[in-house]
Amino acid sequence: MEQQDQSMKEGRLTLVLALATLIAAFGSSFQYGYNVAAVNSPALLMQQFYNETYYGRTGEFMEDFPLTLLWSVTVSMFPFGGFIGSLLVGPLVNKFGRKGALLFNNIFSIVPAILMGCSKVAKSFELIIISRLLVGICAGLSSNVVPMYLGELAPKNLRGALGVVPQLFITVGILVAQIFGLRNLLANADGWPILLGLTGVPAALQLLLLPFFPESPRYLLIQKKDEAAAKKALQTLRGWDSVDWEVAEIRQEDEAEKAAGFISVLKLFRMRSLRWQLLSIIVLMAGQQLSGVNAIYYYADQIYLSAGVQEDHVQYVTAGTGAVNVVMTICAVFVVELLGRRLLLLLGFSICLTACCVLTAALALQDTVSWMPYISIVCVISYVIGHALGPSPIPALLITEIFLQSSRPSAFMVGGTVHWLSNFAVGLIFPFIQEGLGPYSFIVFAVICLLTTIYIFLIVPETKAKTFIEINQIFTKMNKVSEVHPEKEELKELPPVTSEQ
């Protein structure tokens, strides 16, 4: 009873924990979303700048193909940088810690922000292309390190809610970029360099404020072997001096992990005891991106135009869609601990599946039935709602939960790599799918949503309100191995962790 009372006290959302969450998410995740959307509104103005710069150097304008190719490279540098950033996750979080990696990551935001802000004055579009690569690296790191950091800071009863906060700030970043990208604000000839350069502001704030907050207690105890620092960090985060129960749980994870040592990406693929965990994150991360979320955003303007929305008003409707995305992600923060991860994933992918099927029919009949364009708009908004509830926020949270400390950095590297390569593939291939299949393009995404939903239903367990050891024991049975790390015989006597519900 005393342990349960202590657990409840430790599970409060304290001011320190709330501020650490907000600063980490705003300083890092917000930038990811902001840079996804920042180049959309001023795209034509930036291409004009590319052409004028080229003319100033050569005395002639670029032809259409080289200009389009140069712009495609500019856009695609972001997901390519994200891929590189994902590969850096493991080395950085193990060397600098979770908080240290986030602070180091600000280099990849502040430097490109300055370069992009000065690009027009310097008359150099190369600065923009290099900067897009650098902010991509920043996004690749932040999309993996922030969920890891918050998942390790949070008590188990708040881990789901805090784990969704990074995705919330990604959607807020997208919305802010869409609002600042309105033509009467910054999407104009004078304002677009400022629009791109604003990404450095959250990074500067994080650089100033995050050092005052604790490092991950799990990192301090398990990897740094500094129990005193880990205990102090927990006391600061929980607002409660007696944290021995939680220290004991972390120490037990440490004992279980000593059998394996540090698990590299190569070793991760070889370990039978992590087989279903690894396959699950690959399926979820691929399903998240290959389900067509970026294609939906890409196609939204065209759908709105065909529905009769005036061209000048499309930017406001698109921003409205971004607002819906933010609202639904806020809902996910509050319901993830109530409904659980598994149900939100099943519900979200099912909504996306239905939206893709109905959208296919609506696009095919758009020119023959007068009210069909409005069905298309409803489908786009429904898809955004479904994706915001589960497929967008939950996969990164699950990586934190289903892997223990020694394998978590490598798991985030694998998940991040799948995420960014899938993102890049959709951006590269979708225009060709659209050209080949026309209104039936979204059938491809519907099939991926269906297959991902089936996998989740059959394989992915519920992890709500469970400790990392308890979740690992669920997968131990699925993987048909006797222990977490069967090569260590003495771990057979390791007592199970009991959770207070």
Side-chain angles (χ1 to χ4, degrees), residues 267-420:
K267 188 174 181 181
L268 191 65
F269 277 93
R270 289 175 175 171
M271 290 184 69
R272 184 183 171 190
S273 59
L274 296 174
R275 177 179 55 194
W276 281 111
Q277 293 96 310
L278 185 62
L279 184 58
S280 294
I281 66 160
I282 290 172
V283 170
L284 289 173
M285 281 298 188
Q288 180 196 66
Q289 292 299 311
L290 299 179
S291 58
V293 61
N294 292 317
I296 285 282
Y297 282 123
Y298 174 80
Y299 212 62
D301 284 8
Q302 188 173 335
I303 292 170
Y304 294 148
L305 285 170
S306 63
V309 178
Q310 294 180 18
E311 188 170 351
D312 289 342
H313 295 164
V314 165
Q315 58 179 337
Y316 301 108
V317 180
T318 302
T321 306
V324 170
N325 197 7
V326 172
V327 170
M328 295 313 301
T329 308
I330 292 172
C331 292
V333 171
F334 289 101
V335 301
V336 66
E337 292 297 351
L338 179 67
L339 301 179
R341 290 70 156 142
R342 176 181 157 88
L343 180 58
L344 285 182
L345 282 170
L346 290 170
L347 180 63
F349 274 111
S350 298
I351 292 172
C352 292
L353 167 63
T354 306
C356 284
C357 292
V358 177
L359 180 59
T360 300
L363 291 173
L365 299 173
Q366 194 137 287
D367 296 329
T368 57
V369 181
S370 60
W371 44 266
M372 269 300 164
Y374 301 102
I375 300 296
S376 300
I377 292 178
V378 172
C379 288
V380 170
I381 295 173
S382 299
Y383 183 98
V384 168
I385 289 171
H387 216 276
L389 278 176
S392 285
I394 303 298
L397 166 63
L398 280 179
I399 299 178
T400 301
E401 294 189 322
I402 67 179
F403 287 92
L404 295 181
Q405 194 78 10
S406 63
S407 55
R408 197 173 289 134
S410 294
F412 267 101
M413 287 174 68
V414 173
T417 299
V418 173
H419 171 100
W420 288 102

Side-chain angles (χ1 to χ4, degrees), residues 157-197:
N157 63 302
L158 294 175
R159 201 167 56 227
L162 298 190
V164 175
V165 170
Q167 181 61 36
L168 171 61
F169 272 84
I170 290 173
T171 62
V172 171
I174 292 172
L175 178 60
V176 169
Q178 289 171 337
I179 293 172
F180 285 172
L182 296 175
R183 294 186 191 101
N184 56 351
L185 288 179
L186 292 176
N188 50 57
D190 296 322
W192 66 260
I194 300 172
L195 176 66
L196 300 183

